[in-house]
Amino acid sequence: MKRKIDMLSGSISDKILAFAIPLALTGILQQLFNAADIMVVGRFASKQAMAAVGCNTPVIGLLVNLFVGISVGANVVIARFIGQGNSKDITKTVGTSVFLSLAGGLFLAVLGQIISRPILSLMSVPDEVFSMALAYLRIYLAGMPVILLYNFEAAIFRSNGDTKTPLICLIVAGVLNVALNLFFVIVLKRNADGVAIATVLSNLVSSAIMFILLVKSDTDIRLERTELKLNAYILRDILRIGVPAGVQAMVFSFSNIIIQSAINSLGADIMAASSAAFNVEIFSYFIVNAFGQACTTFIGQNYGANQLLRCRKVIHRALILDIACTVVMSLIIIACARTILGFFNEDSAVISYGRTRILFITPFQVLNVIMEIFSGALRGYGQSFAPAGITFFGVCAVRITWVCTMFASHGDFNTLLTCYPLSWIVTATILTVYYVIFSKRLLRGVPEKKTASQ
């Protein structure tokens, strides 16, 4: 079966869809398997265990997103070398990327054991939840080497136009994750720690499968054992693009930690409800993000091949397709909110608060489309610092200011949730203006071949 997509010639819209849909399904399935953690403990353990798992989401995101962002840098660098037809540097980048994921994962695994307790204390996690939350976080972070390895391997396959292989590997590992969740919680009577162990073991399986596939690949993205080391030249380019992308993702996670701390002050019902709602509303974000990543990879290859006019077409098509798919997914989520939330927990208060969060956030996901497409496009061009800086101001600063002022004054859930759409409006506006200026400067009155070579 042919999985590689030719991004450098032919039609665009159908290829963007062929790239983005498996990637969106990967994110959705990954979240479904993560949601299974919360569903299992919510139904077979307690809502305290459910809250313990949920309150760790922004913490894990903060620690993981830097390296996941760096994997975006690997994606862009490999895609550019593919556009240039540079097989030698593709192989070096693959080896450097895999080595970096394992080294970074080991670093986070060690760091996580040290900082887990202080972070949860700073987040004001209630005593009734704290011990379970701590156990979950420490076990999850201990599995960082295999978790990051999967993300980097997926980025390598995506750079070559293959989003189906990571999806297939995820399905295999995800089914195992659900089975292990049920085994640890129902049979062994574990709670949050049981689902953490299941998550690490399932990631071990998925990353091992993809490692073997990379070693045995007959394409340019084959992993050569002799290249499984850090190449200084390659590493510099990966970090130049990847670190700002990671910082941008960390900004979201940091602001979400501040918000999670505020949620924690509102009690276990709202903690559990917010956790459940997040695991529902994020389905629409995976649609948004998939097209953003498609933009990054398509532009990376075409920019490397000096095809700037095609890059512009990619952005336009991705924007239209992303808006259409996101609107459909958001409408489905809003319509089915109560039913879906009931799968997490049957408590009426949890369902009510969860639906409130969904109604505050999901209708505004279309603003995320603008942010992700333009950020993804800029990263594909190698411009990673600008979207990171804009996101820091538009998301982090706005949300923290809102929590420290308006929420501090009113202290209710609705006021707190308002910071999400507000921050998206500010960020999307600034990012759009920046992209328009950048795009005009890039193509202004210069032939495509000449511009692309500069």
Side-chain angles (χ1 to χ4, degrees), residues 367-418:
L367 294 170
N368 258 332
V369 171
I370 298 171
M371 293 165 56
E372 288 293 328
I373 293 296
F374 290 155
S375 291
L378 289 166
R379 283 193 292 267
Y381 285 123
Q383 301 291 318
S384 202
F385 281 97
I390 292 169
T391 301
F392 176 80
F393 172 78
V395 173
C396 193
V398 168
R399 290 182 183 179
I400 292 175
T401 300
W402 186 266
V403 170
C404 294
T405 55
M406 298 304 294
F407 175 73
S409 299
H410 294 81
D412 65 275
F413 194 38
N414 290 7
T415 300
L416 178 61
L417 293 174
T418 303

Side-chain angles (χ1 to χ4, degrees), residues 21-38:
I21 289 175
L23 184 56
L25 288 174
T26 299
I28 290 170
L29 285 174
Q30 195 166 35
Q31 190 60 36
L32 281 173
F33 296 137
N34 291 340
D37 295 354
I38 297 176

Side-chain angles (χ1 to χ4, degrees), residues 6-7 9-16 298 310 317:
D6 178 10
M7 302 182 186
S9 61
S11 58
I12 295 176
S13 296
D14 59 329
K15 292 178 180 179
I16 290 176
F298 274 71
R310 187 173 174 86
R317 306 288 170 78

Side-chain angles (χ1 to χ4, degrees), residues 49 59 152 224 277 312 395 450:
V59 181
F152 272 78
E224 299 283 359
R312 173 172 280 187
V395 173
K450 183 178 179 180

Side-chain angles (χ1 to χ4, degrees), residues 200-238:
V200 172
L201 291 176
S202 63
N203 273 278
L204 173 62
V205 171
S206 61
S207 60
I209 293 173
M210 292 179 70
F211 186 90
I212 293 170
L213 291 175
L214 283 175
V215 170
K216 294 186 175 182
S217 175
D218 58 358
T219 69
D220 287 338
I221 61 167
R222 180 178 62 256
L223 175 61
E224 299 283 359
R225 290 186 175 89
T226 56
E227 296 294 342
L228 192 56
K229 58 187 177 182
L230 292 180
N231 179 289
Y233 169 76
I234 299 294
L235 180 62
R236 183 194 65 190
D237 276 356
I238 291 176

Side-chain angles (χ1 to χ4, degrees), residues 4 33 37 41 45 98 105 130 154 168 173 189 195 199 236 361 371 392 399 403-404 407 419 421 434:
K4 179 179 177 180
F33 296 137
D37 295 354
V41 294
V98 171
F130 192 92
I168 294 169
K189 305 300 180 184
V195 296
T199 299
R236 183 194 65 190
I361 292 176
M371 293 165 56
F392 176 80
R399 290 182 183 179
V403 170
C404 294
F407 175 73
C419 72
Y434 180 87

Side-chain angles (χ1 to χ4, degrees), residues 424-453:
W424 290 337
I425 291 170
V426 172
T427 308
T429 301
I430 299 174
L431 197 53
T432 299
V433 172
Y434 180 87
Y435 170 76
V436 170
I437 294 172
F438 171 84
S439 179
K440 287 182 177 180
R441 185 172 65 245
L442 189 67
L443 291 173
R444 183 182 298 154
V446 183
E448 182 179 1
K449 285 287 183 180
K450 183 178 179 180
T451 304
S453 66

